[in-house]
Amino acid sequence: MTDNIRKKVANYLFLAMIVSSFVLFEPAPYDLLMILFIIAGFLFSFYKFTKSTFIPLLTICIFLVSNVLSLFFIEKIGVSYLFTGITFYLALTWVAFVGVGQYLRHENVQWIIKGYLISACISAGIGILAYLQVLPNEDLFLMYGRAKALFKDPNVFGPFLVMPALFAIAMTESREATTFKKMVYFLSFLVLTTGIVVSFSRAAWGNYAISLLLFLFILKREFIKKRIKTFTLLLLVGIPALIYFIQTPIVEDLIVSRLSYQNYDNDRFDTQRAAFTTGLLNPFGVGSGQSDSVFQYSPHSLYARVFTENGVVGFLSLVVLVLISIIKAYQSYWASKDEDGNIYLVIFAALIGLAFNSLFVDTLHWRNFWFLLALAWVPIGSQVNRN
């Protein structure tokens, strides 16, 4: 792949990521762009896979086979076929990102991630302004008084902002970034953090807290001075600004309310217990997308849904995919020989947070879930081994 083609591919995926937060209606612009990209990748042989990607590819194939096998046990055919089709499409986005990522330079991959950052900042800005009631038709961007921007649910909006928030704070440590750019990145970090707050998603808060703490406290010896500067900036500016914001009456009351036990929590946990019990009684699953009709309530957990719908093999294959992706990102961070490898730390921390988030929210059909899983297997650091 020539440098010119690399740039065009990177620019196309940059555009796809910029519109990735505009998902109020489906198929979303991101989906249309990715479907075209997936097809073009196969037609023009844009994809390349190394030995290191064999195991995750095999794991995804096993997971998809479990989805197909579960169709033999379904009750509502239409729902399962559509649900399975979406799962296959999102798995193919993983294939596309990983396949083309083996060709791209590290600066191309960073450019794509910056598209995600821009999209997240736009989305966070819409959510914050709508919550503060300074946008016309703000109800379009809110749900039950919680910010959701152009997502369908605040519980999807909040977690979407976590990885780019970590990326933004990581870029403030980049030696290549000018002082002005570092200020822009830090401002982006503050905007994204505020967006996560006004989503009032408890799972997103936990996701962010875990991810940010992991990012801040895992570091190489040579980056200690830069991380101390980051801590200082957070202590002097970030934390005071956040405390001031959440203490305003319009925010504080809803935070206190959200931190208390909700009436529907019993329904969620009861459904999750029923889902795991059903999974034990149906080793091949009850069929993709069948949980809602079987239990008359969504399991609100990735693990509960996959276990009851796709059986033991489907559950184990997906859990293995998540675990090996986390391990791969962690290993790549320590193996990288320059600060570009810091992005692997972002991916590692964000994946851990998302794995936690998935305990309480069904993340299987989240586009950023599959994008993050893919990034763990893409060479990003300029000196990372590509074999």
Side-chain angles (χ1 to χ4, degrees):
M1 185 180 286
T2 65
D3 287 342
N4 186 42
I5 294 178
R6 285 192 184 96
K7 287 182 180 180
K8 289 181 178 179
V9 169
N11 286 336
Y12 185 90
L13 292 176
F14 173 82
L15 175 62
M17 295 312 301
I18 278 187
V19 299
S20 61
S21 62
F22 298 87
V23 293
L24 196 58
F25 303 101
E26 294 180 343
Y30 172 88
D31 298 322
L32 298 176
L33 289 172
M34 284 308 301
I35 289 171
L36 289 174
F37 184 76
I38 291 168
I39 295 171
F42 283 113
L43 288 177
F44 299 104
S45 300
F46 277 166
Y47 305 145
K48 174 187 176 183
F49 299 96
T50 62
K51 292 179 181 179
S52 66
T53 59
F54 173 75
I55 292 179
L57 267 174
L58 178 62
T59 307
I60 286 179
C61 288
I62 293 172
F63 174 66
L64 294 178
V65 169
S66 75
N67 275 257
V68 174
L69 288 177
S70 74
L71 297 179
F72 290 97
F73 305 93
I74 59 178
E75 294 181 359
K76 294 185 178 180
I77 297 176
V79 173
S80 278
Y81 283 176
L82 177 61
F83 194 91
T84 302
I86 294 172
T87 302
F88 266 74
Y89 150 66
L90 289 168
L92 285 174
T93 64
W94 183 97
V95 172
F97 278 121
V98 173
V100 79
Q102 306 302 316
Y103 285 110
L104 300 180
R105 308 290 189 197
H106 69 284
E107 62 270 15
N108 299 134
V109 179
Q110 279 202 27
W111 180 239
I112 295 167
I113 297 174
K114 287 175 183 177
Y116 185 1
L117 174 62
I118 293 171
S119 181
C121 287
I122 293 172
S123 187
I126 292 173
I128 295 166
L129 293 175
Y131 181 76
L132 297 176
Q133 299 181 345
V134 295
L135 279 183
N137 301 313
E138 69 269 6
D139 289 343
L140 178 65
F141 312 110
L142 302 174
M143 177 180 284
Y144 307 123
R146 298 161 56 193
K148 69 177 184 67
L150 289 172
F151 289 86
K152 294 181 179 179
D153 192 313
N155 293 321
V156 184
F157 163 68
F160 179 84
L161 308 179
V162 172
M163 186 273 190
L166 300 183
F167 177 73
I169 198 69
M171 292 304 291
T172 64
E173 298 179 349
S174 173
R175 66 173 179 270
E176 296 179 0
T178 63
T179 301
F180 175 75
K181 285 185 178 180
K182 290 181 179 180
M183 291 174 61
V184 172
Y185 281 125
F186 188 72
L187 179 60
S188 300
F189 168 78
L190 294 179
V191 169
L192 293 169
T193 300
T194 305
I196 294 168
V197 171
V198 298
S199 73
F200 296 99
S201 168
R202 293 169 294 173
W205 291 344
N207 177 348
Y208 188 43
I210 291 170
S211 300
L212 184 59
L213 288 173
L214 285 171
F215 172 78
L216 291 174
F217 287 100
I218 296 176
L219 71 159
K220 297 177 182 179
R221 185 175 299 175
E222 58 266 33
F223 295 140
I224 290 177
K225 289 184 178 179
K226 290 184 178 181
R227 193 57 49 84
I228 289 175
K229 291 180 181 179
T230 300
F231 270 110
T232 303
L233 193 58
L234 288 174
L235 289 172
L236 294 180
V237 181
I239 293 177
L242 181 61
I243 292 174
Y244 174 79
F245 180 72
I246 64 177
Q247 284 184 333
T248 58
I250 192 174
V251 177
E252 185 177 18
D253 292 343
L254 190 49
I255 285 181
V256 172
S257 173
R258 290 295 298 163
L259 287 175
S260 62
Y261 198 79
Q262 305 296 308
N263 292 331
Y264 54 76
D265 285 335
N266 284 330
D267 294 330
R268 286 189 174 189
F269 295 136
D270 288 344
T271 303
Q272 289 168 14
R273 282 191 290 269
F276 278 109
T277 301
T278 302
L280 290 172
L281 298 173
N282 297 270
F284 293 101
V286 298
S288 297
Q290 293 292 303
S291 293
D292 295 50
S293 60
V294 170
F295 306 112
Q296 303 301 310
Y297 197 86
S298 175
H300 290 284
S301 168
L302 168 69
Y303 311 110
R305 175 182 286 279
V306 171
F307 188 64
T308 194
E309 290 185 355
N310 304 125
V312 176
V313 173
F315 173 77
L316 290 176
S317 59
L318 187 63
V319 169
V320 167
L321 175 64
V322 173
L323 288 176
I324 62 176
S325 298
I326 290 171
I327 293 170
K328 177 65 175 178
Y330 186 75
Q331 291 176 336
S332 296
Y333 169 67
W334 290 105
S336 60
K337 299 177 181 178
D338 55 28
E339 67 175 20
D340 288 328
N342 212 27
I343 299 176
Y344 280 118
L345 181 58
V346 169
I347 297 165
F348 164 76
L351 278 173
I352 293 283
L354 192 54
F356 165 81
N357 205 141
S358 300
L359 288 168
F360 310 102
V361 183
D362 176 16
T363 59
L364 182 62
H365 285 175
W366 287 11
R367 298 161 181 86
N368 58 307
F369 173 75
W370 292 93
F371 177 62
L372 259 180
L373 288 175
L375 282 180
W377 301 94
V378 172
I380 297 174
S382 57
Q383 299 181 48
V384 170
N385 186 354
R386 290 175 175 258
N387 294 323

